[in-house]
Amino acid sequence: MSDAPVAKSVNGVPGTATELHKTPGSHPSYKHPLDPLTPDEIVAVSLAIRRYVAEKTEIKAVRFITTCLLPPPKRDVLAYLGIPLETGKPPEPAPTIVRKAESDFVDAVTGHSYNIVLALKGDAWEVQTIDKLPEGQQPQISVEELLLCEDIIRADERVIKLAKAVGIEPDQLRADGWAIGYDERFPAKQRIQQALLFARFSPHENLYTHPLDFVPVVDSITQKVIHIDFPPIYTKAAKGAGAFSAAGIHADISSASHTAPPALDEDPEVASGRPRVPPPLGRNDFLPDLIAENLKKEGKEFKLRDDLKPLHVVQPEGVSFKMNGNEIEWQKWKMHLSFHHREGVVISTVTYNDDGVVRPIFYRLSLAEMVVPYAAPEHPHPRKFAFDSGEYGMGTMANELTLGCDCLGQIHYLPGAFVKHDGTAFVIKNVICIHEEDAGLLWKHTDFRVGGRGHAVRARRLVVQMICTLANYEYIFNYMFYQDGNIELELRLTGIVQTYAEDPESPSTSPFATTVARGVQAQYHQHMFSVRVDPMIDGLANTVVETDIVPLDAPTGSALNHAGNAFTARATPIARQRDGGREFELATDRRWSVVNPARAHPVSGKPPGYTIMGKGGVTPLMARDDSWVARRARWAQKALWVVQDVEGPTGSRVWPSGKYVPGSRAENPDSITEWVDGDGSLEGADVLLFLTMGITHIPRPEDWPVMPMEHLNVIFRPVHFFTQSPCMDVPAANDARSVPAFPNGNSACCANSN
């Protein structure tokens, strides 16, 4: 549905990029230049690093943290795949792609961190660069370090003594290792975590119902507890008498006069000014057998609903998509799917076959960053603002998915792999789920006149899914592609709210938390996501346009607006780098579009583009502009950032809070506010967008013990992109397997084209 001339791929297949250049026979492990490193490649890279470190450096012990593909330049990738840099023109000559990898590792003796880049030469990986990270910059916290946190606290005599004082034995202790954000009392060079403690009295029970009242700080290198914090507690106060009364909040801090951390030379338990609070002992399980067992002890019965009949997703003739390794074709869409240890699922080289013409749309879509700031101001709770992507990695926390449970229907899975401390690969067999779903009616119209005909078409969507568990929370990422040209990113949140103990005999009046069970407090918090969008709308020269819907500036009764009803769309290009940070405006129903200014729609005359419909996830960061979290996550202060892409030796601009997040005390170099600093042009440029999506979670009892799904979504919708609706050729709805719900129910054939 385009009037552009038909383009041919480098292999001479009109309008497609299906037949990829073949990787040289000596390197059969990957088919596509963006394929993630295989487990064998991860091991080979580790061996090359160990050999280099032993021969060329003084480093005595290597602890691998990350190893991943270093992507080739985007223009080389597009040329290699036969995707034109401008719709309707032939692709660039195919270059030779050099496969590269990069790794972050820690000297397990000194704690120093390093980044190393390697290139594949023949069959061997060769080191190109090795750089020691500046003091205060740390690679992400590994899964093994998070698990190590629990071993460290169980072996510490002070922790054991403090736990026993409230009735908890060492074997009952459990710890969620959390990044500490930062705590100025400790040296920036220390690789430290905070251990949020819980008790578990039987296997598989909900440990978050038994939070402990103290927080150890552990050093991952020395594997020692280096400090222990004791949060204060709230108690009821007479109206107007609380410490927060001047701010209009009815509450008091009974055990501490301020929210700042005590000095390290103070006794932290004494500084908290409160008695010990034992963990709540009530059972609040989520596994059905444990719920039934606990209720039986109380003389009650638990019964699962038995009035749900089976509902199956069946595709008797198979799926409608085709896979070529990590590359997928579905309907008119084509794209590459990959796994990344930090971003999780990554969608790349998204194109649409528009009546035989390959039209590039997005070069890359991914989750670039995420932060979860908590609202309680009393120390050490302000340290709870985990960067779940930058500090832990969504990919390393991804679930192995299960047929008939996480995904319904006829499913195709892709594996993922990341490096372990010893340099071997940890493989997640089914980490990316691909399937089709019915998505309701795609379009319908009935001529209401006597004898008029009607037509109905049902929508199908392709879903690319990943599920990640970050300690207590689960995040579901669904990238969905539709037959009308829409692309939707849906974020779903579930899991268990993060908890803290309160005195069950004196329930808290904290204005920053909800009591969800006796003695169990869930603090207010936010989930803020930064979605990275690398567009290539009909090519790499794009402009972002901000559109506000505004009433006509003419009064009712005037010659221009007699009835007072006129409104229009006011479009303004985001022209300069310094203007790249944008606010959402609900009053004007603001939206943004990425357009190709060099092209024009044959009818409307407007440039083709994709509009960003993001109202389903707009939430402002509630922390103050000079807060700890805002200083490290400036991206969360704006709904949209538009920046120029700059590709260097280690790739494009990807990380809005900087590449190395753990332990950072302010915004890192090479991050979002640096990228928008200056007067560079953003018009007709290779631009990047960072969309901020979020939710403010005020916990409620209905979120306990496991929170039902919360939903956030952003939709990318074609605008002036197609000559008409691109889904007019989708077959009509006519499912012969649909039957009446009851034996005597009415039935009727589908009335399409009657």
Side-chain angles (χ1 to χ4, degrees):
M1 298 175 186
S2 168
D3 62 342
V6 173
K8 292 188 177 182
S9 77
V10 291
N11 296 287
V13 181
T16 72
T18 301
E19 294 298 324
L20 300 180
H21 288 275
K22 303 301 181 185
T23 301
S26 58
H27 306 303
S29 58
Y30 60 93
K31 295 181 177 182
H32 189 289
L34 297 180
D35 280 354
L37 296 181
T38 66
D40 287 344
E41 286 182 306
I42 289 174
V43 171
V45 167
S46 298
L47 290 174
I49 293 172
R50 286 193 185 279
R51 187 180 303 114
Y52 181 90
V53 165
E55 294 174 357
K56 306 287 188 180
T57 75
E58 300 298 318
I59 299 169
K60 301 301 181 185
V62 172
R63 178 187 292 177
F64 290 97
I65 303 298
T66 65
T67 297
C68 64
L69 177 76
L70 185 58
K74 69 175 71 172
R75 289 175 178 266
D76 288 354
V77 172
L78 294 174
Y80 187 95
L81 300 176
I83 299 173
L85 293 181
E86 184 179 339
T87 295
K89 293 187 177 181
E92 298 292 305
T96 299
I97 298 288
V98 177
R99 193 158 171 86
K100 294 186 178 182
E102 72 167 331
S103 180
D104 291 325
F105 67 86
V106 172
D107 183 331
V109 176
T110 66
H112 295 146
S113 300
Y114 297 83
N115 174 264
I116 189 166
V117 174
L118 306 91
L120 186 59
K121 302 290 183 67
D123 291 322
W125 289 92
E126 295 182 2
V127 172
Q128 292 191 313
T129 61
I130 182 170
D131 296 297
K132 182 180 178 181
L133 301 187
E135 184 175 295
Q137 287 194 3
Q138 300 273 355
Q140 73 180 51
I141 300 168
S142 69
V143 176
E144 289 160 285
E145 286 175 310
L146 293 173
L147 295 173
L148 180 64
C149 185
E150 200 162 85
D151 294 333
I152 294 171
I153 61 99
R154 282 182 183 158
D156 186 83
E157 292 300 323
R158 291 173 298 167
V159 171
I160 292 172
K161 182 178 179 181
L162 288 168
K164 285 188 172 183
V166 288
I168 305 303
E169 296 299 321
D171 64 323
Q172 296 171 330
L173 278 173
R174 299 292 184 273
D176 281 357
W178 273 49
I180 203 164
Y182 72 88
D183 190 323
E184 291 180 336
R185 300 175 301 170
F186 305 107
K189 66 181 180 181
Q190 278 188 290
R191 193 166 173 83
I192 57 179
Q193 299 177 60
Q194 54 186 334
L196 306 185
L197 298 186
F198 305 90
R200 173 167 269 172
F201 301 114
S202 65
H204 311 301
E205 74 150 335
N206 179 10
L207 60 90
Y208 297 105
T209 199
H210 312 304
L212 271 66
D213 70 333
F214 63 104
V215 182
V217 178
V218 305
D219 186 312
S220 298
I221 301 300
T222 64
Q223 299 186 26
K224 300 290 185 183
V225 174
I226 61 173
H227 186 71
I228 297 175
D229 287 305
F230 292 80
I233 58 173
Y234 292 92
T235 57
K236 294 179 180 178
K239 188 172 183 179
F244 291 97
S245 58
I249 295 172
H250 174 45
D252 200 357
I253 295 180
S254 64
S255 59
S257 59
H258 55 74
T259 59
L264 288 179
D265 57 3
E266 291 185 64
D267 183 315
E269 187 175 356
V270 172
S272 73
R274 62 163 173 86
R276 294 295 307 281
V277 178
L281 301 179
R283 295 289 294 264
N284 295 274
D285 290 311
F286 56 88
L287 296 173
D289 57 321
L290 298 186
I291 297 173
E293 179 183 307
N294 296 330
L295 289 176
K296 187 176 181 180
K297 294 175 182 176
E298 301 175 13
K300 301 177 183 178
E301 181 183 2
F302 176 72
K303 182 181 178 183
L304 292 172
R305 301 181 189 189
D306 58 6
D307 55 352
L308 283 174
K309 306 297 184 184
L311 192 159
H312 302 294
V313 178
V314 179
Q315 293 180 271
E317 298 179 26
V319 298
S320 303
F321 57 85
K322 296 183 292 184
M323 299 296 303
N324 178 20
N326 281 53
E327 197 172 43
I328 183 171
E329 286 186 85
W330 178 77
Q331 301 284 286
K332 300 180 180 185
W333 293 104
K334 183 167 186 174
M335 68 205 77
H336 182 269
L337 314 177
S338 66
F339 169 88
H340 191 275
H341 67 269
R342 180 165 170 173
E343 297 163 283
V345 62
V346 176
I347 314 286
S348 300
T349 59
V350 179
T351 62
Y352 190 93
N353 189 326
D354 186 6
D355 284 347
V357 178
V358 174
R359 302 188 69 181
I361 297 177
F362 292 115
Y363 183 76
R364 199 171 186 273
L365 297 169
S366 67
L367 175 75
E369 193 51 88
M370 178 188 171
V371 67
V372 187
Y374 280 72
E378 67 274 16
H379 180 79
H381 297 313
R383 291 193 312 220
K384 290 190 289 195
F385 56 106
F387 288 76
D388 285 340
S389 178
E391 289 180 323
Y392 309 119
M394 281 295 177
T396 59
M397 300 296 174
N399 292 182
E400 184 160 292
L401 303 175
T402 308
L403 269 175
C405 175
D406 299 307
C407 309
L408 296 181
Q410 202 153 328
I411 309 299
H412 181 70
Y413 292 106
L414 291 176
F418 59 88
V419 74
K420 294 163 58 176
H421 280 178
D422 63 3
T424 61
F426 185 90
V427 177
I428 309 175
K429 184 180 177 182
N430 297 334
V431 72
I432 297 174
C433 162
I434 306 161
H435 63 282
E436 295 173 283
E437 292 179 348
D438 179 88
L441 283 172
L442 179 59
W443 64 267
K444 179 176 181 176
H445 182 65
T446 300
D447 183 349
F448 72 92
R449 294 165 180 84
V450 176
R453 296 174 61 186
H455 197 76
V457 174
R458 290 199 70 78
R460 183 88 55 95
R461 66 187 177 196
L462 178 76
V463 182
V464 180
Q465 182 180 84
M466 175 177 282
I467 302 176
C468 307
T469 298
L470 279 294
N472 52 304
Y473 264 110
E474 265 75 20
Y475 299 98
I476 294 88
F477 300 91
N478 290 327
Y479 290 87
M480 298 183 288
F481 296 81
Y482 292 85
Q483 294 159 309
D484 59 0
N486 283 359
I487 302 171
E488 181 179 6
L489 169 57
E490 180 191 50
L491 303 175
R492 299 185 185 183
L493 297 79
T494 181
I496 302 177
V497 290
Q498 205 279 323
T499 58
Y500 183 67
E502 65 179 13
D503 186 350
E505 302 305 320
S506 180
S508 170
T509 57
S510 170
F512 312 106
T514 300
T515 299
V516 294
R518 184 173 173 81
V520 182
Q521 187 184 93
Q523 293 166 347
Y524 303 168
H525 58 281
Q526 293 187 287
H527 301 260
M528 306 295 292
F529 302 85
S530 180
V531 177
R532 182 179 183 270
V533 180
D534 188 348
M536 53 175 186
I537 306 297
D538 278 332
L540 293 179
N542 291 168
T543 298
V544 179
V545 177
E546 182 173 276
T547 300
D548 292 299
I549 313 304
V550 294
L552 186 66
D553 189 16
T556 301
S558 67
L560 293 178
N561 194 15
H562 180 72
N565 63 301
F567 65 88
T568 188
R570 183 179 63 208
T572 308
I574 301 173
R576 293 290 168 187
Q577 234 171 244
R578 63 175 180 268
D579 299 321
R582 312 304 300 171
E583 302 279 5
F584 180 75
E585 180 56 67
L586 184 62
T588 60
D589 198 12
R590 180 171 289 173
R591 73 281 308 270
W592 296 280
S593 299
V594 187
V595 304
N596 188 319
R599 296 173 62 83
H601 191 276
V603 177
S604 72
K606 301 284 183 69
Y610 262 71
T611 293
I612 301 164
M613 310 299 289
K615 284 191 289 187
V618 175
T619 299
L621 181 69
M622 294 299 175
R624 298 178 68 89
D625 288 348
D626 58 354
S627 65
W628 293 357
V629 62
R631 292 206 300 260
R632 299 176 72 211
R634 290 295 180 199
W635 55 266
Q637 296 178 309
K638 300 287 185 181
L640 171 72
W641 299 86
V642 184
V643 304
Q644 291 180 344
D645 193 12
V646 177
E647 291 188 293
T650 56
S652 295
R653 290 171 163 173
V654 181
W655 317 117
S657 277
K659 186 173 183 178
Y660 298 105
V661 179
S664 61
R665 304 191 174 203
E667 189 177 40
N668 279 305
D670 194 25
S671 55
I672 201 79
T673 54
E674 180 182 304
W675 300 339
V676 297
D677 185 23
D679 199 41
S681 174
L682 295 175
E683 294 189 275
D686 185 3
V687 295
L688 297 173
L689 290 75
F690 291 85
L691 309 177
T692 302
M693 302 171 65
I695 184 172
T696 302
H697 191 187
I698 306 300
R700 52 195 183 125
E702 291 85 352
D703 291 329
W704 184 254
V706 178
M707 182 178 79
M709 286 287 180
E710 292 273 7
H711 299 253
L712 300 173
N713 73 311
V714 59
I715 297 174
F716 304 96
R717 177 173 294 169
V719 55
H720 306 288
F721 191 81
F722 298 105
T723 55
Q724 64 175 56
S725 169
C727 54
M728 298 308 297
D729 56 355
V730 177
N734 190 7
D735 181 20
R737 291 175 173 81
S738 294
V739 298
F742 303 104
N744 297 323
N746 293 326
S747 64
C749 295
C750 186
N752 285 309
S753 302
N754 59 353

